[in-house]
Amino acid sequence: MKKLRVGVIGCGRISVRHLLPLTSIDEVELVACCDIKKDRADEAAEKYGIKAYYSYEEMINSEKLDAVHLCLPHYLHSSVAIYAFEHGVNVLTEKPMDVNLENAMEAVRVAKEKKLLYGVIFQCRYNNPAQLVKKAMTSGKLGKVLSARSVLTWNRSDDYYNNSDWKGTWDKEGGGVVIDQAIHSIDLVNWIIDSEIESVDCTMHNRGHKIVKVEDTAEGYITYKNGAKYGFYCMNNYACDEPIEIRMFCEKGRVTFSYHDAYIIYNDGTTEEAHENNKTNAADGGKDYWGSWHIRQIRQYYNALLGKEPLEISGEEALKTHKLIMTLYKKGGMLEE
Ligand SMILES: NC(=O)c1ccc[n+]([C@@H]2O[C@H](COP(=O)([O-])OP(=O)(O)OC[C@H]3O[C@@H](n4cnc5c(N)ncnc54)[C@H](O)[C@@H]3O)[C@@H](O)[C@H]2O)c1
């Protein structure tokens, strides 16, 4: 069988979470990688025995690719995705879809027009605890979510921002803790509640990162048309990376979950739980506070590309969370500062 030819664009920190899984899928052949920083592209190319490019246009035009993975600064995601679609190439992009809504919607439109598969990484949805809670929700066992809350306290040091030419900037990262880190916990809750949003309120502050202008702290309150109410708090000025904590008070039970564990206590006294096997995840090289299941999502994407099952996290699906994130920034009030 002819293998799908795949390339990775952007060879920075997250790229290993794409490069490595791509070497383990039988139907896929990882053929090329690209980074404008030559040393990064060369290093990845040597490690995986693939060809290095320093221009994504050149890679796409030379390699007859079936799909590209985008591991780029946020502001480039939609424009590079659109370039790939216009050249007949499917795309799996890292979160977030973009730094604004219009570009993200345009990428979804072009993918649809060209009948290509557009996937967006939200790997935390593939953690065992998150899967258990979603299943209990969709089966009706938990009833509707009445209230949910999430807390994320991570550490992004001044060095983290100093060592990047795009993080901590409004134009290239599109914000701070909300668009880059808390997007995972906000996405999990939004995905599990799965209802149209009625109202959004949010405050944002920069309390501890004086070298950047973006927010490092935010709290928000979201109401849904199905009656659910969701409050969140996040900050990336904490001394360590704690696992996210999510709680849900539902019609038929209560839920507590994080990356490692989920516990459901139903109103009738029965319980269910799910856990992550740390060894498996360490082998995959993931980090145990944000979820390391890129490999599950990447396999799902290729199963969809091969026509074996529908794509789970499509551009349309990811837009639900992207719209919410963009509204949080409008309400948060820091964009104008
Ligand atoms: N899913 C997750 O849990 C997770 C975790 C970390 C990062 N990410 C996401 O992954 C993406 C990349 O983040 P990162 O931490 O790897 O950033 P990074 O800065 O380490 O890597 C980005 C790379 O893109 C390269 N690049 C910039 N412009 C380019 C262009 N025009 N063509 C080719 N290469 C170009 C840069 O030189 C850099 O090497 C972001 O969207 C980030 O939010 C996701």
Side-chain angles (χ1 to χ4, degrees), residues 9-15 34-37 40 54 56 70-77 94-96 121 123 164-167 180 184 290-291 294:
I9 306 178
C11 301
R13 285 173 62 240
I14 200 63
S15 60
C34 165
D35 201 299
I36 47 169
K37 292 183 177 148
R40 293 189 181 180
Y54 316 115
Y56 68 83
L70 308 185
C71 302
L72 290 163
H74 300 168
Y75 74 107
L76 292 172
H77 283 165
E94 265 297 343
K95 52 50 101 173
I121 292 284
Q123 84 278 3
S164 174
D165 48 16
W166 62 277
K167 293 204 169 159
D180 206 322
H184 287 299
W290 51 247
H294 272 81

Side-chain angles (χ1 to χ4, degrees), residues 124-141:
C124 293
R125 293 191 190 186
Y126 291 85
N127 297 343
N128 297 338
Q131 288 281 314
L132 174 76
V133 177
K134 179 69 176 175
K135 212 167 126 202
M137 187 59 57
T138 46
S139 69
K141 254 177 117 176

Side-chain angles (χ1 to χ4, degrees), residues 190 193-199 222-228:
N190 200 44
I193 291 178
D194 195 20
S195 165
E196 267 185 67
I197 288 170
E198 188 173 68
S199 70
I222 297 137
T223 64
Y224 290 84
K225 291 201 172 147
N226 72 355

Side-chain angles (χ1 to χ4, degrees), residues 201-213:
D201 200 4
C202 180
T203 60
M204 292 182 173
H205 304 276
N206 180 324
R207 295 199 166 119
H209 287 95
K210 295 308 169 204
I211 59 158
V212 293
K213 295 251 185 284

